Amino acid sequence: MHQADLALPVLIFTGLFMLTTGSAIWLKFLRVPYTIGLVVIGMALGLLAKYSDFLAPVLQVELTHDLIMYVMLPVLIYDAAINIKLPMLIKELVPVLMLAIVGVVLSTLVVAGLIGNYTPMTMAGALLFGALISATDPVAVIALFKEVGAPERMALLMDAESLLNDATAIVMFGIVMAVLQTGQGFGLDTAFMAIWDFCRVFFGGIAVGAILGIAMLFLLRLGHAIPYVQISLTTILAYSSFIIADHVFGMSGVMSTIAAGIVTRTWSKKVLCEPVQQYLGPYWEFMAFVANSFIFLLLGMQEDFLFKDMDHLYENTPFLLLTIAVVLFARFLVVYLLLPISNRLPKSSPVDNKAKAVMFWGGLRGVVPVALMLSIPVDMPERGAIIHMTLAVILFSLLIQGTTIERLMDFLKLKNPSR
């Protein structure tokens, strides 16, 4: 391999990293959420690169399904998992599971029913779209709530929901995709298969992550005297727990990495040396910063797909606006129907109306729907429409909901200055 073959990708990476790092300083000064600002910068960069030979090489970098799932997502999930307080999560498990499991199913059915009946899309395409768009995105939600200083309990509810509902969304999406590809109908057998697949993927992922996390504890103990080895082992655990569960066993990589991260946090004081205990958080915060930077910058560049054909976009604007309204309505039903039920269940702490308002408006969509969208076969009917719909919802979610959630929290006096 010639030096130039590797030099250009490294130069592109360095340039984009410099752009994101400089943007972090500039956006902090402007008091604009970093992740949201990067989407706009990415859109501008993608547009400029089309008309500039100097910037043209950045178009070689694309946001792909595998890049999201196997490179960036494990870092972000593990960083969130090692910051989860297990006793608090167990205390809030009832509303979290209500939103993460029942909520995704309800949202999928509502979105599919409305889109299938009130737009030209077939019910099959509407179901596929409903499945991929119904889960709130862990990357977008966790990053934003950390930035705006959400109260601890609300942040935990939103973070945990966005992490756990990923497994539900992936199973729903996989089942709908399998049904469409095989041509079989939706019936009682499909429902039982869906329940079984969910249990296998969800709890199987937890088992894989817990086993790998426990096994890694022995290696961490052996490397107790070498801090950089222990840091390296946590990095290996983050990636191996996700990829082995998802790619090898067909389980939930997200649930696996969450379990592995919780195991690490629970036994950290027993196996990690004092310097690693002190620097593990900053290290993973830096890793999450890098992953977030590239995800949202590339997501902004991906949004350019919406604007390639302005005439076509103009014709479909009412359809896309209706899609956004339907997704918001489905989220409204999930929050305001399921949380009152959860509040009445035993051993469940009530969620008040202020928190419900923030949880409704803060249910952002981000890169996980993009990853699922990109996995749709090229020859599948209505793929182009689903891509347009997904990107339109994400764009509204990040640029409108993401930029106004802090004002809503200020209005409701819910911000936590210490976060």
Side-chain angles (χ1 to χ4, degrees):
M1 178 181 292
H2 298 292
Q3 288 184 344
D5 294 336
L6 190 58
L8 182 59
V10 172
L11 185 61
I12 293 173
F13 171 83
T14 305
L16 292 177
F17 196 25
M18 182 63 198
L19 175 63
T20 59
T21 305
S23 298
I25 302 171
W26 180 54
L27 293 169
K28 181 77 172 178
F29 176 76
L30 295 177
R31 298 187 65 184
V32 174
Y34 169 64
T35 51
I36 310 302
L38 275 183
V39 173
V40 178
I41 293 170
M43 292 172 65
L45 179 64
L47 186 62
L48 289 173
K50 289 188 173 183
Y51 302 100
S52 169
D53 294 336
F54 177 74
L55 294 175
V58 303
L59 295 176
Q60 299 176 19
V61 185
E62 294 182 358
L63 197 60
T64 65
H65 172 271
D66 288 355
L67 181 63
I68 296 171
M69 297 295 288
Y70 300 131
V71 178
M72 297 180 176
L73 201 54
V75 171
L76 298 163
I77 299 300
Y78 191 82
D79 173 60
I82 62 174
N83 287 292
I84 289 178
K85 297 176 181 177
L86 188 57
M88 289 185 64
L89 177 61
I90 293 174
K91 183 180 178 181
E92 305 292 352
L93 206 55
V94 173
V96 167
L97 291 180
M98 183 73 77
L99 292 170
I101 298 175
V102 182
V104 172
V105 175
L106 174 61
S107 177
T108 299
L109 296 177
V110 170
V111 170
L114 293 176
I115 294 293
N117 282 300
Y118 295 102
T119 73
M121 285 199 74
T122 64
M123 187 58 70
L127 273 170
L128 198 62
F129 173 71
L132 72 85
I133 205 66
S134 289
T136 56
D137 185 66
V139 179
V141 171
I142 292 170
L144 181 65
F145 270 59
K146 184 181 291 186
E147 280 190 76
V148 301
E152 188 173 22
R153 187 192 180 210
M154 187 187 303
L156 174 68
L157 287 171
M158 290 295 293
D159 292 355
E161 179 203 355
S162 63
L163 287 169
L164 299 182
N165 65 16
D166 176 69
T168 312
I170 291 175
V171 172
M172 290 283 292
F173 180 82
I175 291 171
V176 174
M177 178 72 75
V179 169
L180 294 181
Q181 290 179 326
T182 58
Q184 69 185 76
F186 291 93
L188 195 59
D189 291 343
T190 307
F192 282 122
M193 181 184 71
I195 296 171
W196 164 248
D197 277 353
F198 171 77
C199 293
R200 178 183 63 83
V201 170
F202 190 91
F203 295 106
I206 294 174
V208 171
I211 291 169
L212 291 174
I214 292 170
M216 189 60 75
L217 293 178
F218 292 99
L219 293 177
L220 288 169
R221 192 182 295 274
L222 290 175
H224 190 271
I226 317 174
Y228 57 82
V229 167
Q230 289 196 319
I231 291 288
S232 300
L233 289 173
T234 63
T235 309
I236 293 169
L237 178 61
Y239 280 103
S240 62
S241 60
F242 193 101
I243 295 173
I244 290 174
D246 181 273
H247 198 64
V248 177
F249 293 108
M251 308 296 182
S252 171
V254 171
M255 294 310 304
S256 178
T257 304
I258 291 173
I262 290 176
V263 167
T264 304
R265 178 187 174 93
T266 304
W267 280 278
S268 61
K269 292 184 178 179
K270 294 184 178 180
V271 298
L272 299 180
C273 61
E274 188 173 342
V276 174
Q277 290 182 39
Q278 183 178 357
Y279 292 111
L280 186 66
Y283 167 78
W284 278 103
E285 192 171 354
F286 165 73
M287 293 285 285
F289 167 75
V290 176
N292 268 323
S293 298
F294 281 95
I295 277 182
F296 285 97
L297 185 68
L298 295 178
L299 181 58
M301 294 170 64
Q302 189 83 35
E303 289 285 355
D304 180 64
F305 185 91
L306 267 177
F307 305 101
K308 286 182 178 178
D309 187 347
M310 291 303 295
D311 293 335
H312 182 72
L313 177 64
Y314 179 77
E315 293 172 1
N316 286 299
T317 295
F319 170 60
L320 296 179
L321 291 176
L322 176 62
T323 300
I324 293 168
V326 166
V327 173
L328 284 174
F329 176 68
R331 177 65 182 173
F332 179 86
L333 290 180
V334 167
V335 172
Y336 284 93
L337 283 182
L338 297 184
L339 284 180
I341 295 174
S342 169
N343 289 345
R344 293 183 174 86
L345 296 177
K347 297 182 180 181
S348 175
S349 301
V351 180
D352 60 30
N353 289 329
K354 289 184 178 181
K356 289 176 189 172
V358 174
M359 294 179 73
F360 157 64
W361 196 245
L364 306 184
R365 271 65 175 183
V367 293
V368 171
V370 172
L372 296 176
M373 169 192 85
L374 293 173
S375 69
I376 300 175
V378 177
D379 59 348
M380 179 163 284
E382 301 180 314
R383 180 179 187 268
I386 291 174
I387 290 176
H388 277 91
M389 294 160 66
T390 304
L391 293 179
V393 170
I394 291 172
L395 194 62
F396 177 88
S397 171
L398 294 175
L399 297 188
I400 305 300
Q401 294 173 257
T403 56
T404 56
I405 187 68
E406 187 173 8
R407 295 179 185 177
L408 176 62
M409 291 169 61
D410 282 333
F411 176 76
L412 297 174
K413 299 180 180 178
L414 285 175
K415 287 184 67 175
N416 182 359
S418 64
R419 280 177 61 83

